[in-house]
Amino acid sequence: MVIPIHDDNPVRRRPVVVYLLLLINVAVFLTEPIVKAPLVTNPSSVASVCEQTTYFDRYAAIPKELVSNRQLSPRRTIVQSDQGSFACPVQRYQKVPALSVLYSMFLHGGWLHLLGNMLFLWVFGNNVEDRLGRLRFLFFYLFSGYAAAYGFAFGNTGSTTTLVGASGAVAGVLGAYLVLFPRARVTSLVPFLLFLPLRLPAWLVLGSWFLLQYVYSSGGAVTSGAEVAYLAHVVGFLVGALLAWPLRQRRPPPPPRGQAEVWRYGY
């Protein structure tokens, strides 16, 4: 509905954990077969598709594995090409389903997927980190990601589709931001107004985002993004909001000793 690019909400210290998460997400994405393939071969070739599929099967979260806490047997993927159908070779590997949730939080299916998640983390993550503190924010982020993945898994117990992306954890950050800073002004681009930038309250930007995710997750709308795990977004958002709720009336802690200035960041 809108694309946030900046919030008028200064922080007291540098968001080190947010920077670190951004760096790790980009670094991991650059090592994925989906990125390396165009450098060595046609990214739509059979070999490339097989490599990408095996990579995600091995490292990404799969709902059926999470529910049963057991690794599925390696599956043979059939790839369609101009020359016909080809079966990918089956590769053996060991996988711990619980750890795959952690890995999947740093995997992405393409540049747009990565940039969209990182944009929301960049705009809203710094204030949540500032309020929670660095270490607590890191645990909060990871817990939200785990809750989102398992919430989706228990809502789709038989699914063998791989889950990748930071969106569940980022959704937790959005939920916390809405609770802690509902009146903060967020400059957003509005696509249906030819990307006109508007300063909107956070409760409107994030509330409308959550409503859209909820409608799609409940099947109340038709969308071309059928492969988007909307339920994971809903669960992550609610978990983040609930965890931040006890902090909504508290004053933020004072800045570290010797740091009198207020840091501002242009998003």
Side-chain angles (χ1 to χ4, degrees):
M1 298 179 68
V2 297
I3 304 173
I5 57 174
H6 168 73
D7 68 331
D8 299 327
N9 196 5
V11 295
R12 301 161 300 111
R13 52 189 173 185
R14 295 184 187 276
V16 174
V17 176
V18 169
Y19 289 164
L20 181 62
L21 290 171
L22 291 169
L23 179 62
I24 294 175
N25 273 278
V26 173
V28 171
F29 179 71
L30 293 176
T31 67
E32 293 181 20
I34 198 172
V35 176
K36 295 189 299 182
L39 302 177
V40 295
T41 184
N42 181 353
S44 61
S45 69
V46 173
S48 175
V49 173
C50 288
E51 185 180 8
Q52 294 169 23
T53 302
T54 301
Y55 181 85
F56 284 139
D57 282 346
R58 181 174 185 176
Y59 293 108
I62 297 177
K64 193 171 182 178
E65 290 183 335
L66 299 183
V67 172
S68 64
N69 196 33
R70 291 196 304 269
Q71 177 185 339
L72 299 176
S73 300
R75 50 188 171 180
R76 184 178 297 275
T77 302
I78 305 300
V79 178
Q80 303 292 336
S81 71
D82 296 338
Q83 289 75 36
S85 299
F86 296 88
C88 297
V90 176
Q91 297 188 17
R92 303 290 175 179
Y93 52 83
Q94 295 295 320
K95 182 179 183 181
V96 179
L99 285 179
S100 70
V101 178
L102 178 62
Y103 302 152
S104 68
M105 278 189 249
F106 298 95
L107 302 176
H108 289 85
W111 280 106
L112 287 179
H113 189 202
L114 172 71
L115 295 177
N117 282 334
M118 296 304 99
L119 174 63
F120 276 79
L121 178 60
W122 175 249
V123 173
F124 299 107
N126 64 331
N127 292 104
V128 179
E129 179 183 337
D130 193 46
R131 178 61 66 90
L132 296 181
R134 290 167 178 163
L135 187 59
R136 284 200 298 175
F137 174 76
L138 178 59
F139 283 109
F140 165 86
Y141 179 89
L142 297 177
F143 182 83
S144 297
Y146 264 87
Y150 274 96
F152 182 87
F154 281 101
N156 301 269
T157 55
S159 174
T160 58
T161 300
T162 53
L163 298 177
V164 296
S167 54
V170 173
V173 174
L174 303 186
Y177 192 101
L178 177 62
V179 168
L180 297 174
F181 312 102
R183 295 183 179 85
R185 290 287 171 171
V186 180
T187 301
S188 304
L189 303 179
V190 185
F192 66 86
L193 294 179
L194 301 178
F195 293 93
L196 178 70
L198 297 177
R199 291 179 69 249
L200 304 171
W203 65 263
L204 179 60
V205 174
L206 299 179
S208 61
W209 181 89
F210 174 76
L211 180 61
L212 189 65
Q213 308 307 303
Y214 177 78
V215 169
Y216 283 152
S217 70
S218 63
V222 177
T223 173
S224 60
E227 296 181 355
V228 178
Y230 291 108
L231 180 58
H233 300 172
V234 171
V235 173
F237 189 96
L238 292 176
V239 167
L242 289 174
L243 291 176
W245 188 262
L247 301 175
R248 70 192 188 284
Q249 299 297 341
R250 298 182 187 177
R251 291 184 178 181
R257 181 174 300 178
Q259 181 178 323
E261 69 272 24
V262 174
W263 296 96
R264 291 177 182 271
Y265 299 91
Y267 305 125

